[in-house]
Each structure stands twice: as structure tokens, then as C-alpha cells.
Amino acid sequence: PIPVTLRQLKGKTKPLKVLKMLNPRPTPIDLLSFSDFLAVAPVQNVVFDNVMLTTKMLESVLVSLAHAKALQKLSLRNVAIDAQGWKYLCKFLTVNGAVRKLDISQHRIPSRLAAAGAAPTGTAGTAGTAGAPGAPDADGADDIVPRYSRAAMDWSLFTECLRRRGGIEELVINGCKLTDPQFEELLRSAVSLRTQRLGVADMELNMRKVTCLMEWVSSDFSTCNGIDIASNDLSNGPAQVLAMELKERAGRLGKLRMLASSNIHISAGEAEKYLCALSGLKRLEFLDLGRNRQMFPEIIPALAQFLPKLRSLNRLHLDFNDLTEELIIELAPVFARCAKLAHVSLLGNDKGMTEKALEALYNAVRNSRIHTLEIDYSLASGKTCAKLSAALKTNMDALIGIASPEK
């Protein structure tokens, strides 16, 4: 709504860092007012995640941003886009040369959201209109309406538009089910130009896509420093290809610093080969192995062997792995052996967060550079919380002291 938008602007004089459409069902007046503001005010990041837009509304937004020189990122995550809306998006990319980051992820579009975009393109439309394509089913299913599936879009057109504008720095296409030829064309013709971070989570990566991905990342002209491959089932083939490619191309992956691989469904044996291959990436700073509970407890020896070999590892996520007290106690000394590890996340492992496990983590913090430990602190006693906080603060103070010119 207009009042909510105005509250985001209160006291702002410089270019706005972020402006979000907070109303999931904006009226035509809300949207036009919002678009008018975008056309005249400098905004760096514009977010329409999960907002119900008709094709006409989407066109209005993109037209208002077409010549926005301050725009750095546009996020249209889970926004229903049909074939005509896709053309508007592609045209926007060719006109606006400033935008550096684009998120068009589509994990799902509930039918109640797609209903808004189902209205004729020349009208505002009404969400939930009875009988409209994409209107809620009787059983309330949240399936993606085929008309708005990213898989049904013209990816050749999208790729060509990115190529003509000279590529894009960050592209997030999580959940977009591209065919192998479409994916290969996108990487070779557009992403290869200057993309530094690529999100391909939940994309049904297979062996061919994994090979193509590694060929791009390891190429001499690649600028890639971060990949998100989370929520892809890499078991029974893709994981082996990934490990082999990482190991064979390790010498050419010096720019890769961030790798998100949560929920990739690999076994402990596959994970061991994966970790062995990762240990050759000397500049890897961020690694996410969360939501891979099927690897535990068998993977613990491999983690103990290979994590300390990641000499630049700064941040590690092991969230929601159902870690027991015993496993946390085993892992804590491993964290301390990682020379540059400063941030550890163990959220969602609540059953294992006993006082003994927390004591082991406290000792790990004391004997390391870890200054951020993400856990549910409500599970710890007041005394334990105080000890952990003090140890973490000591490490943070040391970090600031090293970085400070005065020191």
C-alpha cells in the first residue's frame, strides 16, 4: 500500500538501498503509484518477491525501471510471468544496462498467486476470480500453473538478450527447469560473459548439466566466484561427476569462493568423494552442507579429514542435519582445526544441543577464530550462554584489533 511505501522512504535523501512491494495483492492504483515513484527516485534494489502481478502490472514496473541508472538488483522471485510478460522482461534487460543482479527464481507459484497474472494482459484482473486460469483448485493445490512455468518460457530469447547487454553479474534461476540444451546455451552464450554468482538450486541438475557447469566455472575466461546447487538430487551419477570434475579441474577453480550444496541427497560415500575433491579448492571460503542428514554419522571421519584442508574456509553451515550430542562433540575439535573458520551455523540440530555438546562448542570457540556461532541459544543455560558469548566476543575483538589501523 502507498502508506507502507512512504514509511520505507521516511528520512531518506540518498539513493534507497532497498524498496520492497510489501503488499502481496496490490491494487492497480497501488502498483501505478509505486511504478511512478520508481521512475523518478533512485533505488538500488527493487523487490517484488511473491507479489501477485498481472502482465500489465509487470509491464508498468519494467517500463518505470527501464532507464533507472541506480538500479543494481531486481528480484521477481515467484512472480507469475506468462509468455508476454517474459518478452517485457527480456526487453527490459536490453534497455537497462545498469542492473547487475536478477532473481527470477520459481520454487512454486501457489494457484492463488498465479490467479492474479491470469487476467487478460490489458486489464488489472482480480485475484481469485472464479473460473480464471490458475484460480485455486477445489483441493487448494499449490501447483505451478503451466502457463506461468519458467520452463515454458523462451529461454533462447532470454539468453540472447543477456548476450547483447554483455551478460549480468549475478543470476538466480533457482527452480527454473531448463532443458539440457537451454542450460548449455545460457551458460556458454550469456553467463560466461561476466557472471560472478549463479543460483541453480532445485533445477534438476543431471550429469550433463553438472559437466557443463564445471566447464564454465573452470574456463580461463570465467569470473565465477559463487554457485548455489542446493536442493538438487545429485545421487546416483551427478555427485560422482561433480566430484570428478572438481578434482580434475581444481587447479583452474581458484576463483571459486562460495558453494552452497545443502539438500543434495548424496550418500556418505558420495559425500566423502565430494569433500575430497573440495579439499583441493584452496580459496573456498563458504560451504553449505546443511539438510544432508542422510550422510551422518558415516561422514564424520571425512569431515575431520578434509575440512581442515580447506585453508580459506571462513564460513560453514551444517544446519538441520539431526546431529546428536555425540556427533557435535566429535565435530567441535574439527572446527577448531580449521585455520580461518570464523562462522559456524548449526541451526536445526536442537536434539543434540545438550550441555555437553555446548561445552564442546565452547572449547572449540576458545581454541579457534570462530566469532559467530548460530544455534538456538534458548536451549542453553544462562551460564553456558554467558561463556559462549564471552568467548565469541573475545574472538571478534581480536579480529577487529587485527584489522584496525590504530592497533
Side-chain angles (χ1 to χ4, degrees):
I2 296 173
V4 176
T5 303
L6 292 176
R7 282 200 294 272
Q8 296 184 67
L9 309 178
K10 187 176 181 179
K12 305 291 184 181
T13 55
K14 297 180 180 180
L16 299 176
K17 289 187 176 181
V18 181
L19 188 62
K20 298 180 181 180
M21 171 56 76
L22 299 177
N23 184 354
R25 294 190 177 195
T27 66
I29 293 177
D30 288 334
L31 197 284
L32 289 174
S33 299
F34 197 87
S35 297
D36 286 344
F37 178 81
L38 290 175
V40 297
V43 183
Q44 295 177 344
N45 300 283
V46 178
V47 181
F48 280 89
D49 295 350
N50 301 305
V51 175
M52 293 170 24
L53 300 177
T54 64
T55 303
K56 190 64 177 179
M57 286 178 170
L58 178 62
E59 180 187 18
S60 297
V61 170
L62 296 176
V63 168
S64 70
L65 292 172
H67 302 287
K69 295 181 180 180
L71 183 63
Q72 296 180 9
K73 180 176 180 178
L74 175 62
S75 185
L76 298 170
R77 188 184 309 158
N78 290 333
V79 172
I81 303 176
D82 62 9
Q84 186 60 43
W86 190 257
K87 291 179 181 178
Y88 293 146
L89 174 62
C90 291
K91 184 176 181 179
F92 162 78
L93 289 173
T94 60
V95 174
N96 186 302
V99 65
R100 298 185 288 114
K101 305 174 184 179
L102 178 67
D103 187 345
I104 51 173
S105 301
Q106 187 181 52
H107 297 292
R108 66 172 185 170
I109 293 183
S111 53
R112 60 183 177 275
L113 294 179
T121 57
T123 64
T126 302
T129 301
D137 299 328
D139 59 1
D142 282 346
D143 295 332
I144 295 176
V145 179
R147 177 182 173 186
Y148 302 100
S149 172
R150 300 285 194 262
M153 299 299 105
D154 188 345
W155 284 94
S156 293
L157 175 63
F158 181 81
T159 298
E160 177 61 16
C161 290
L162 284 183
R163 186 191 68 79
R164 290 192 178 189
R165 75 188 304 273
I168 195 164
E169 180 181 308
E170 178 178 300
L171 180 62
V172 183
I173 52 175
N174 299 340
C176 301
K177 317 297 186 187
L178 279 68
T179 64
D180 290 353
Q182 288 172 336
F183 186 71
E184 189 169 349
E185 181 187 16
L186 178 65
L187 289 186
R188 292 184 176 178
S189 300
V191 169
S192 62
L193 298 177
R194 62 183 174 105
T195 298
Q196 297 179 21
R197 292 171 296 280
L198 180 66
V200 290
D202 189 24
M203 273 194 59
E204 299 178 355
L205 292 181
N206 54 26
M207 290 186 284
R208 180 175 172 182
K209 286 188 176 75
V210 168
T211 300
C212 189
L213 190 63
M214 288 297 101
E215 287 177 351
W216 162 61
V217 176
S218 63
S219 63
D220 294 336
F221 49 79
S222 173
T223 59
C224 176
N225 59 42
I227 309 175
D228 182 359
I229 59 171
S231 298
N232 284 288
D233 187 349
L234 301 185
S235 61
N236 301 320
Q240 297 178 17
V241 173
L242 178 61
M244 180 183 69
E245 293 284 347
L246 285 169
K247 190 170 185 179
E248 291 181 354
R249 301 174 186 272
R252 289 175 285 169
L253 293 172
K255 297 177 183 178
L256 189 61
R257 298 184 179 184
M258 298 169 283
L259 184 55
S261 52
S262 64
N263 192 32
I264 55 175
H265 303 277
I266 58 177
S267 66
E270 292 170 325
E272 182 175 356
K273 294 178 181 178
Y274 179 51
L275 286 169
C276 178
L278 289 178
S279 66
L281 305 183
K282 303 307 180 183
R283 298 185 67 184
L284 190 68
E285 299 176 4
F286 169 78
L287 178 62
D288 186 353
L289 293 171
R291 299 182 185 274
N292 284 300
R293 56 179 62 88
Q294 73 284 345
M295 302 189 310
F296 294 89
E298 292 83 4
I299 195 60
I300 294 295
L303 288 170
Q305 179 181 357
F306 295 116
L307 284 182
K309 293 183 179 181
L310 291 170
R311 296 181 300 191
S312 298
L313 186 64
N314 177 267
R315 181 168 178 169
L316 175 68
H317 285 213
L318 292 170
D319 304 324
F320 296 94
N321 279 319
D322 291 341
L323 298 180
T324 63
E325 174 189 88
E326 293 76 13
L327 294 181
I328 294 173
I329 291 174
E330 285 188 66
L331 282 171
V334 178
F335 299 154
R337 288 168 48 208
C338 296
K340 293 187 178 181
L341 188 61
H343 186 142
V344 177
S345 182
L346 294 170
L347 295 171
N349 296 291
D350 297 353
K351 291 183 180 179
M353 287 298 164
T354 63
E355 285 297 313
K356 289 184 178 179
L358 291 167
E359 183 67 26
L361 290 173
Y362 166 69
N363 290 328
V365 171
R366 285 188 60 196
N367 295 290
S368 70
R369 300 173 62 176
I370 298 172
H371 58 67
T372 302
L373 178 64
E374 293 187 66
I375 60 173
D376 184 351
Y377 283 91
S378 67
L379 301 171
S381 66
K383 181 180 179 181
T384 301
C385 279
K387 287 171 56 179
L388 270 172
S389 297
L392 292 168
K393 184 178 183 300
T394 296
N395 288 349
M396 178 61 78
D397 290 342
L399 175 65
I400 296 173
I402 293 173
S404 174
E406 290 80 7
K407 298 291 183 178

